[in-house]
Amino acid sequence: MQITLMGLLIFPLGLLLFFMKPKLLPYIAVMLCGCTGMSILNLTGGGFGLQSSFYLCILWFIYRLIQKLISKDFNLKKVPLSLGLFFVFCMASLAMPFVLSSDIEILSVDNKYTGLSFSSSNITQFVYLIFVLVFVFFVSDAVYDKTLEVKKIIKYYLYGICLVMLITVYQIFAMRLLLPFDEIFRANLHGNVQGLRIYGPCLEASELCYYLVTGLPLLYRANIKKIFKFALIGLLILLGTYSYSSTFFVGLILWVVLELILIILKYARKNTFNKKYFYIFMSAFFIIVLAIIVKKELVASLVTKVVSKFADTVTVNNVSGSERTTALKTLLKAWSKSPILGVGFGSSRGKDLFSTWLANTGILGFGAILIYLINAFRKNAGKYNYLKIPAFLVWICALISVPEPYNLFVWLFLAIVYNVTEEEE
């Protein structure tokens, strides 16, 4: 067991908050939820690293349970039926490795092609699932009874986006000046150095990017001075581009398309052009042009590399694209051997969440979570409808390129959208 450098800070901070300001625990957890590679405790024997946000959430869960016991208020907000069914189907699928043939080839959680068998990953992945579902349950209940303020959640989430960007900027300098980085912000057993690619306090570049893209629509609507807003959005886009991650490229394009659709719909309804959007896009265009003029060669080189990597990945002309294709074919073939309940939750882990969950949980499990997502995006959340945009971006990025559903920000916005009350709307 190893307590990391950040653990020496976060552990006492969590205890201090628990006894002095327990209501701040969920907000600080939200602020740190993007630091997915920043472990505060590593169990070297079991290969487990405890994220700071998980630790703070556990303390918050304990506090909420104590509150409920003292007040004797057990009128809890129920989670959607589809999400409950997803959990049931995932649990039922754990029996499949005992039923199916070991000749079925899978890509294991350890990134090895092997025969199907029940292993520790089935248990650990299911425990992670239980944790995020408990998180959804507690957030849903707290938002519903107004214990958690939605505006405050968004504010602290944006603090977290800025914190991750700041740490990532430091990484760029640290790599060139040989300053300490991983041992401070990324002392996680599962982290791997990816050359000069930036990954910030995350496990890898793709995880950094599917977190950062959620910040785009939130910063775009943040109630801050325009100069700071544009500067932060510009920095976010620059860092995402500099990561050379196709995940960010997809998320950025999706965000731009969604915002353009919303603008067109708003224009069509009012038949007037909002000057705010004109200034936003003109400012963004001016910044891009200025950057090209000042650093023409650098920008051209960077854009070329990003576009080339994305094209190579899509057309399977590089290692990443080839690996993704092979993994996808392997998991789809495994799913075809057990299409109803899959090969068992946690049995395999591909290069995208779609093939991973389809292979592991079959039509029943994947169908249930798909219904949950569709119902969430259809629900009217009043003035918080825009929270569907970061939720949509992170889930699309996960389904197509990041098989990591256990980070809290993946579930946060859906839990809010599902449970905003009429008074808050």
Side-chain angles (χ1 to χ4, degrees):
M1 184 175 71
Q2 172 200 13
I3 297 179
T4 66
L5 288 175
M6 291 305 299
L8 295 175
L9 172 65
I10 301 297
F11 272 117
L13 174 63
L15 292 175
L16 183 65
L17 289 173
F18 181 81
F19 290 107
M20 303 295 292
K21 293 283 186 180
K23 291 183 179 180
L24 269 180
L25 282 169
Y27 299 113
I28 303 300
V30 165
M31 186 177 74
L32 296 177
C33 69
C35 301
T36 58
M38 193 173 73
S39 290
I40 58 175
L41 174 69
N42 289 326
L43 300 178
T44 53
F48 170 76
L50 178 63
Q51 289 185 29
S52 54
S53 57
F54 279 41
Y55 163 65
L56 295 173
C57 277
I58 291 172
L59 292 178
W60 179 52
F61 297 162
I62 295 172
Y63 168 69
R64 284 286 289 177
L65 288 173
I66 293 173
Q67 268 192 321
K68 294 288 183 181
L69 290 172
I70 292 175
S71 64
K72 296 182 180 180
D73 177 18
F74 301 107
N75 185 23
L76 304 176
K77 175 64 178 176
K78 297 178 181 178
V79 298
L81 176 62
S82 54
L83 189 59
L85 287 175
F86 172 67
F87 177 80
V88 170
F89 292 140
C90 288
M91 184 166 57
S93 73
L94 292 175
M96 299 311 292
F98 298 103
V99 177
L100 300 172
S101 170
S102 59
D103 293 335
I104 297 177
E105 186 182 23
I106 59 167
L107 178 59
S108 71
V109 174
D110 297 324
N111 200 34
K112 297 177 181 178
Y113 289 94
T114 183
L116 176 65
S117 65
F118 190 86
S119 67
S120 60
S121 68
N122 294 95
I123 302 299
T124 56
Q125 298 296 298
F126 191 66
V127 170
Y128 282 129
L129 178 66
I130 293 174
F131 186 89
V132 295
L133 292 182
V134 170
F135 172 75
V136 170
F137 171 78
F138 274 87
V139 170
S140 299
D141 185 58
V143 168
Y144 185 73
D145 68 12
K146 301 183 183 64
T147 304
L148 278 181
E149 302 174 31
V150 178
K151 288 183 179 179
K152 201 170 180 180
I153 294 174
I154 297 169
K155 181 174 74 172
Y156 275 84
Y157 192 88
L158 287 175
Y159 288 161
I161 290 286
C162 295
L163 176 65
V164 169
M165 288 197 294
L166 183 63
I167 294 173
T168 307
V169 169
Y170 168 72
Q171 183 193 8
I172 295 174
F173 289 100
M175 288 189 300
R176 283 155 177 76
L177 301 177
L178 300 180
L179 300 173
F181 180 79
D182 281 9
E183 55 266 47
I184 301 175
F185 298 109
R186 196 167 165 268
N188 189 293
L189 294 172
H190 301 290
N192 61 308
V193 178
Q194 299 178 302
L196 292 179
R197 291 185 68 187
I198 57 173
Y199 39 70
C202 306
L203 287 176
E204 57 185 31
S206 60
E207 285 203 20
L208 169 68
C209 289
Y210 91 137
Y211 171 70
L212 286 182
V213 293
T214 63
L216 290 168
L218 298 179
L219 285 171
Y220 180 58
R221 290 164 176 81
N223 186 23
I224 57 178
K225 290 185 178 180
K226 290 182 179 180
I227 187 170
F228 294 125
K229 180 185 297 188
F230 298 144
L232 289 172
I233 291 176
L235 177 61
L236 192 155
I237 293 174
L238 182 62
L239 291 175
T241 305
Y242 192 58
S243 72
Y244 303 118
S245 173
S246 56
T247 301
F248 182 79
F249 201 54
V250 170
L252 178 62
I253 293 173
L254 277 177
W255 175 63
V256 171
V257 170
L258 285 173
E259 295 294 358
L260 287 174
I261 291 174
L262 291 176
I263 291 172
I264 292 171
L265 290 176
K266 187 174 182 178
Y267 174 73
R269 283 195 298 266
K270 293 187 176 182
N271 199 28
T272 57
F273 190 81
N274 194 321
K275 291 183 179 180
K276 179 179 71 173
Y277 299 116
F278 174 79
Y279 292 141
I280 288 173
F281 284 107
M282 286 303 296
S283 299
F285 177 75
F286 175 78
I287 291 171
I288 293 172
V289 171
L290 182 63
I292 293 174
I293 293 173
V294 175
K295 290 288 185 181
K296 182 177 179 181
E297 295 80 8
L298 176 62
V299 173
S301 175
L302 182 60
V303 172
T304 301
K305 287 181 180 179
V306 173
V307 174
S308 297
K309 184 180 182 301
F310 177 72
D312 287 343
T313 300
V314 172
T315 56
V316 202
N317 287 330
N318 64 4
V319 175
S320 176
S322 178
E323 288 179 348
R324 288 179 183 275
T325 302
T326 303
L328 178 64
K329 289 180 179 178
T330 300
L331 293 192
L332 289 180
K333 186 176 180 180
W335 167 70
S336 69
K337 304 292 183 180
S338 178
I340 306 301
L341 268 180
V343 297
F345 190 84
S347 293
S348 62
R349 186 179 187 270
K351 305 300 180 181
D352 60 87
L353 190 57
F354 166 73
S355 63
T356 299
W357 272 1
L358 184 63
N360 287 348
T361 66
I363 289 294
L364 291 180
F366 190 79
I369 196 64
L370 191 61
I371 292 172
Y372 171 74
L373 294 174
I374 292 173
N375 288 338
F377 293 127
R378 290 176 58 189
K379 189 180 185 300
N380 180 20
K383 67 180 181 181
Y384 293 115
N385 267 335
Y386 71 90
L387 293 182
K388 296 176 185 177
I389 303 177
F392 179 79
L393 293 176
V394 73
W395 275 94
I396 291 297
C397 287
L399 286 170
I400 66 175
S401 63
V402 188
E404 183 48 68
Y406 307 116
N407 294 319
L408 301 183
F409 59 84
V410 176
W411 302 87
L412 176 65
F413 300 109
L414 294 182
I416 294 173
V417 166
Y418 247 111
N419 296 284
V420 175
T421 61
E422 293 182 2
E423 290 80 3
E424 288 175 304
E425 293 178 9

